[in-house]
Amino acid sequence: MISCATSSVDETRSLGAAVSIVVGPGDVIVLAGDLGAGKTAFTQGFAAALGITAPVTSPTFVLANRYEGEIVVNHLDVYRFTGRGEVHDLALPELLDGSVTLIEWGDTIVTALPADRLEITFGFGAGDDDRSVDLALRGKSWRWRSQALSRAVENWSRSPC
């Protein structure tokens, strides 16, 4: 696990941009944390670093947004999901093919996700804009990239991988 900290929305976006350096087609990133903890801000920085110029907003009501950049970025929000059938309706395997997918509230559907994924948990810190951000690498592909990810986020890191 890599533990990071940010002290502003811009820093959370910058952390997202840093993580984007180590992703590739087929990657899944689970974003967990309370409302307002930084999931969408992280995704905004992540997408911008991949050349996406469209506004990135939370897909709470539309469930999924797709952005075209250097790589296709799918941004999902499963907050309102109540059962496994709804995950099936998303056609997740098709979404994952050739793109990177970030899933807000993805911790609620991990049993439906590939074992190979990056799980990021956002928490509130002492100050209004302070956030703790824990990155857990799951599966062989992410363990193989652990050093690259550690280097990418070292400016925000509080502990080694």
Side-chain angles (χ1 to χ4, degrees):
M1 170 139 10
I2 303 170
S3 293
C4 297
T6 64
S7 59
S8 70
V9 173
D10 285 339
E11 277 193 20
T12 301
R13 287 184 184 116
S14 294
L15 179 60
V19 170
S20 76
I21 293 168
V22 297
V23 302
D27 282 341
V28 173
I29 301 174
V30 171
L31 306 173
D34 290 332
L35 288 170
K39 297 178 296 292
T40 300
F42 177 92
T43 303
Q44 289 168 339
F46 184 95
L50 293 174
I52 293 166
T53 57
V56 173
T57 58
S58 179
T60 300
F61 297 104
V62 295
L63 302 181
N65 288 325
R66 184 175 178 89
Y67 301 102
E68 302 280 339
E70 295 170 21
I71 184 172
V72 173
V73 174
N74 298 307
H75 183 202
L76 312 179
D77 187 320
V78 297
Y79 178 73
R80 298 181 299 144
F81 279 24
T82 58
R84 191 170 172 91
E86 291 170 298
V87 175
H88 178 72
D89 291 343
L90 275 177
L92 197 56
E94 290 82 10
L95 281 177
L96 300 179
D97 191 33
S99 63
V100 61
T101 302
L102 293 91
I103 308 172
E104 294 194 27
W105 306 98
D107 55 319
T108 63
I109 63 165
V110 291
T111 58
L113 298 176
D116 198 52
R117 63 183 179 267
L118 177 62
E119 296 177 358
I120 304 177
T121 303
F122 298 83
F124 293 104
D128 288 345
D129 294 327
D130 295 340
R131 299 292 185 265
S132 63
V133 185
D134 293 327
L135 295 83
L137 298 83
R138 307 284 187 230
K140 186 185 292 184
S141 169
W142 281 102
R143 284 192 302 274
W144 182 77
R145 291 181 271 178
S146 65
Q147 288 183 344
L149 183 59
S150 291
R151 282 191 303 273
V153 302
E154 67 186 347
N155 290 341
W156 301 272
S157 184
R158 296 186 310 193
S159 65
C161 183

